Amino acid sequence: MLTRGNVKPLYYRILSKFPPNFSLCFAYGSGVKQQIGYESLSSPSSTKNVHRTTTSSSDNKKPAMLDLMFVVENPHQWHSQNISQNPCHYSFMRQLGGNCIARFQENYAARVYCNTLIPIKDEKNIMIKYGVISTKDLVEDLLDWRDLYVAGRLQKPVEIVREPNSSKVQSAMHLNLQSAVHSALLLLPKEFSEFDFYCTITSLSYNGDFRMIFGENKNKVQNIVKPQIENFRSLYGPVLDLFKSSLEYSLMGDEYAVKWKQDKAALVILQHLNQLPKWPIRRIVREWNYGRYRSDTEDVLRAIACSPRYQEIVKKSFSDIVWQSSIKQSIKNIPTAGFKKSLAYSWSKALKTFNL
């Protein structure tokens, strides 16, 4: 496992092997941020900070792949250069050229193009998976949650390898976190723990993901949150300051013992509903109007804020988005990775299910 001291040089060496014209790059997942049961590049090997209630230990941790996301202004140009520079990263689709790959990336599923199981030359035992998304599609997902694919990843602690060079992207990343807080507060009861809060945020992009049925550890959400409480606090601390009028919380002490309290008045629920991104609101309205006289958005949200079923309806709106995008993107990843790599990657995911 690599130590904190040589993580950044590793990123520098990896990025030097790719075309430089990208506007943001972040690393995410179990290979980067500590998860119970996996080694990561940025966390100590000791599990002394992990609660003893877990069954995992440092002795049975598995090596994890390094996941990267490149955000590019011009996918056609970037893929063309990358095919020339790294042709072995691509499946047979490289024969179609950068323009065709860019169209495939931007017009289907979550608008991400993925290359997986890529060994890094001159880096012993380093394997990466990387996705490519355009800047405009990233901003749209962060603001509207059409797919909750990249937006979901950025609701959890990640390693920013290259800072965004656009204030529009920075603003969208911040608004994505605000939307995650509004969503979590809608789904949580009047009293809850800090741990419950971060687990609810993390689950936004996992509930509904078909891979959670077969291919992911059933305790994945808790395994992400438990060792990363401090990282979640750093990420959401500035955002939570905006919610002080309706939320009593503390970022100090035991995240299990300290109870947070929120105002659950219908007016506050309505405020949270109004602050949700566009696509969840669309699904909420459609769900409420099903079999009823069709009402406009404002009337529907007012009615839902007073309904005892509001949490069920809100949760379904998120899970429907995640279900659809996860299936479509997984199907899309088959031709981008190639059959052999797709099979190998799926098999490695399946092994997680059985803890093998």
Side-chain angles (χ1 to χ4, degrees):
M1 187 190 74
L2 300 177
T3 63
R4 288 180 182 273
N6 58 10
V7 169
K8 289 186 178 180
L10 169 65
Y11 288 141
Y12 177 81
R13 294 193 300 271
I14 291 175
L15 295 192
S16 69
K17 302 177 187 300
F18 289 90
N21 53 328
F22 51 90
S23 57
L24 165 68
C25 179
F26 64 89
Y28 63 95
S30 58
V32 179
K33 293 296 184 181
Q34 185 64 43
Q35 290 185 28
I36 294 173
Y38 297 92
E39 293 283 6
S40 70
L41 302 182
S42 59
S43 299
S45 58
S46 171
T47 57
K48 63 182 179 180
N49 293 325
V50 178
H51 291 270
R52 296 184 183 276
T53 53
T54 178
T55 58
S56 299
S57 69
S58 58
D59 294 332
N60 63 4
K61 286 189 175 182
K62 315 171 196 64
M65 192 186 319
L66 176 61
D67 293 281
L68 295 168
M69 186 68 66
F70 291 96
V71 182
V72 303
E73 290 290 340
N74 187 328
H76 173 200
Q77 182 185 66
W78 196 90
H79 282 297
S80 296
Q81 293 178 2
N82 198 38
I83 290 171
S84 176
Q85 198 167 328
N86 299 299
C88 61
H89 290 191
Y90 290 81
S91 67
F92 68 92
M93 290 193 68
R94 69 178 178 272
Q95 305 297 334
L96 303 176
N99 189 39
C100 184
I101 286 177
R103 289 200 302 269
F104 187 65
Q105 170 189 312
E106 295 184 287
N107 294 330
Y108 300 99
R111 297 168 293 177
V112 175
Y113 190 98
C114 292
N115 286 326
T116 191
L117 297 176
I118 308 296
I120 297 299
K121 186 178 180 181
D122 303 325
E123 299 291 344
K124 186 178 180 181
N125 296 326
I126 295 293
M127 190 82 72
I128 71 169
K129 168 190 170 186
Y130 65 92
V132 184
I133 187 171
S134 72
T135 304
K136 63 179 178 61
D137 288 335
L138 170 69
V139 169
E140 183 180 341
D141 197 36
L142 290 171
L143 296 180
D144 297 340
W145 288 13
R146 191 192 83 160
D147 301 298
L148 247 179
Y149 195 81
V150 182
R153 284 153 175 76
L154 287 170
Q155 289 163 2
K156 299 178 281 291
V158 300
E159 189 81 22
I160 302 296
V161 181
R162 176 178 292 181
E163 294 286 345
N165 59 9
S166 162
S167 59
K168 188 175 183 179
V169 172
Q170 291 175 329
S171 176
M173 290 170 68
H174 185 72
L175 289 172
N176 178 47
L177 298 181
Q178 287 186 40
S179 296
V181 175
H182 284 293
S183 302
L185 293 178
L186 282 167
L187 297 175
L188 286 162
K190 185 173 183 178
E191 293 188 1
F192 52 92
S193 69
E194 182 183 8
F195 180 72
D196 294 334
F197 175 69
Y198 297 135
C199 282
T200 303
I201 285 179
T202 302
S203 69
L204 292 174
S205 55
Y206 285 114
N207 287 338
D209 191 331
F210 84 98
R211 293 170 298 180
M212 294 300 291
I213 301 172
F214 184 83
E216 286 289 2
N217 189 310
K218 305 305 180 186
N219 297 317
K220 187 174 182 67
V221 169
Q222 293 87 344
N223 290 348
I224 290 172
V225 176
K226 281 181 180 179
Q228 290 198 68
I229 290 293
E230 289 301 327
N231 289 332
F232 273 99
R233 285 173 175 168
S234 298
L235 183 62
Y236 281 96
V239 180
L240 286 170
D241 286 341
L242 304 174
F243 292 80
K244 286 184 175 179
S245 62
S246 60
L247 177 65
E248 296 178 15
Y249 68 94
S250 171
L251 298 181
M252 304 291 291
D254 189 333
E255 63 273 10
Y256 289 91
V258 177
K259 289 294 183 182
W260 293 16
K261 296 181 181 179
Q262 64 166 321
D263 188 343
K264 296 294 281 185
L267 182 59
V268 176
I269 294 172
L270 179 59
Q271 290 172 348
H272 290 317
L273 289 169
N274 278 316
Q275 294 302 314
L276 292 179
K278 179 171 68 177
W279 283 92
I281 288 179
R282 284 184 178 182
R283 288 183 174 272
I284 287 170
V285 172
R286 185 170 67 185
E287 175 72 15
W288 182 262
N289 281 332
Y290 184 76
R292 293 185 176 92
Y293 175 79
R294 300 185 69 84
S295 302
D296 63 24
T297 299
E298 186 177 346
D299 289 339
V300 168
L301 295 184
R302 279 201 299 264
I304 290 177
C306 299
S307 170
R309 293 183 55 240
Y310 79 90
Q311 289 180 316
E312 172 192 338
I313 295 170
V314 170
K315 184 176 181 178
K316 187 176 187 302
S317 76
F318 301 141
S319 63
D320 285 350
I321 290 171
V322 173
W323 171 264
Q324 186 176 50
S325 69
S326 66
I327 288 179
K328 289 182 177 179
Q329 186 63 36
S330 293
I331 293 172
K332 178 180 176 179
N333 288 345
I334 294 173
T336 65
F339 178 76
K340 288 183 179 180
K341 282 188 177 182
S342 295
L343 186 62
Y345 186 72
S346 298
W347 178 249
S348 68
K349 286 287 188 180
L351 292 178
K352 295 180 184 180
T353 304
F354 302 105
N355 198 31
L356 297 176

